[in-house]
Amino acid sequence: MSDKNISAILYSKGDLRLEERDIPTPGKGEVQVSIHSVGICGSDVHYWTHGAIGDFIVKAPMVLGHESSGIVTALGEGVKHLKVGDRVALEPGVPCRACDYCKTGRYNLCPDVEFHATPPYHGTLARLITHAADFCFKLPDHVSFEEGALLEPLSVGIHACKRAGVTVGDNVLICGAGPIGLVNLLTAKAMGAATVCVTDIDEGRLKVAKTLGANHTVLVTSRDAKALASQVKECMDGKIDITIECSGAESSIQLGIFATKSGGVLVLVGLGPAEVKLPIVDAAVREVDIRGIFRYCNTYPTALAMVASGAVNVKPLVTHHFALEKTLDAFETARTGAGGAIKVVIDCFRK
Ligand code: NAD
Ligand code: ZN
């Protein structure tokens, strides 16, 4: 294989190949980026193992990857705020910029958003890609490429905590200690949460949550959501202002309702089964607001400021590195969680 533009291309369920692609030329308003770091997300793994997520079905070969950073290598027409050599983080979803959602700032809800590695759009797991220049964010020298790539999952945490209204002094319950639960933990703490309790079924992940600042952790060993709620409330002195559900498990969403105080907020981040059974009357009569989130909007500047200022440290999330040539090993590690894997990062630059 020559080394023009090696890319990790998913052909169909289970069929991920490293192949040569043409070097893309940036169009108007775009830049060409030499990709440096790409974090593997659960969705990348899911497309690989299942060939689809809900209605998003891989029907044509698709480059995976959407948590990325790199170096600008060419400018398309009209690009003014970046120059060749700039180190950038890439916000992966580029919306239409013209619909009501885009115009009112909630561009994550734009029906025409083109998001890296959501079919039919290619992702960034390649040597070279092109991207909308206004969705590239210049990294200060002291922010690493790896941190730049992690602005993507951090953005999910920022959007969820903002939707939840986390503020100084809050007691927050976070269900699930995967990468998304952990970025919510970091963000909630940075936003002033007084006490954060994290749940998981995996003891290893709870240990990581503790090292990242969780005040309490609860190992989930049953599906009895009411009993779990009592257990969680006990370690939080009875009051949970906000629950951020990051596992998608039915019993965990039930826990979120039972545990959240009357008048509190439950944010659903985890996406599990399309339909679940919920104690909805309990939520209704206690005015527990249930809010969803879909990715994020307007979070990259905040995420970058938080990392650059040291308000959050995302580095401990990265447990493994692989070269682009070892993409299959990287995906296998991310799939199995072998070696305590949390965030697996692929280095795409030519070594
Ligand atoms: P992950 O699979 O690595 O983490 C999920 C964690 O939940 C795991 O550690 C697992 O052990 C734990 N878990 C499973 N059952 C549990 C239970 N009953 N109680 C407590 N914990 C339990 O995934 P991730 O990358 O951290 O993502 C988390 C979820 O967020 C996924 O469902 C993902 O699809 C979703 N997500 C949603 C958005 C969005 O825009 N809404 C964005 C990104 C990710
Ligand atoms: Zn739009």
Side-chain angles (χ1 to χ4, degrees), residues 13 64-65 78 92 118 137 140 159 188 194 204-205 216-217 226 240-241 265 278 282 295 298 322 335 346 350:
K13 177 178 162 173
L64 289 174
T118 294
F137 295 83
H159 190 58
R205 290 203 155 176
H216 305 285
T217 57
K226 265 193 180 157
I240 291 160
D241 302 288
V265 179
L278 294 179
D282 185 63
R295 299 172 179 154
N298 307 302
F322 289 87
R335 182 183 73 79
I346 298 185
R350 203 175 281 114

Side-chain angles (χ1 to χ4, degrees), residues 176 178-180 199-201 205 220 246-247 249 269-271 293-295:
I180 294 297
T199 69
D200 206 291
I201 53 173
R205 290 203 155 176
V220 173
C246 302
S247 78
V269 182
L271 303 173
I293 69 142
F294 186 57
R295 299 172 179 154

Side-chain angles (χ1 to χ4, degrees), residues 121-138:
Y121 305 106
H122 287 302
T124 55
L125 207 35
R127 293 261 196 254
L128 286 162
I129 61 122
T130 52
H131 195 54
D134 55 334
F135 283 75
C136 293
F137 295 83
K138 192 169 168 356

Side-chain angles (χ1 to χ4, degrees), residues 142 144 146-147 150 313-319:
H142 71 285
S144 68
E146 184 176 288
E147 290 172 302
L150 263 67
N313 179 11
V314 288
K315 284 183 189 162
L317 296 182
V318 179
T319 51

Side-chain angles (χ1 to χ4, degrees), residues 68-70 87-91 135-139 148-149 151 300:
S68 1
S69 64
R87 302 162 66 253
V88 290
L90 276 55
E91 178 174 351
F135 283 75
C136 293
F137 295 83
K138 192 169 168 356
L139 299 173
L151 299 185
Y300 262 68

Side-chain angles (χ1 to χ4, degrees), residues 175-190:
C175 306
I180 294 297
L182 295 174
V183 291
N184 272 283
L185 161 65
L186 293 173
T187 308
K189 280 286 193 176

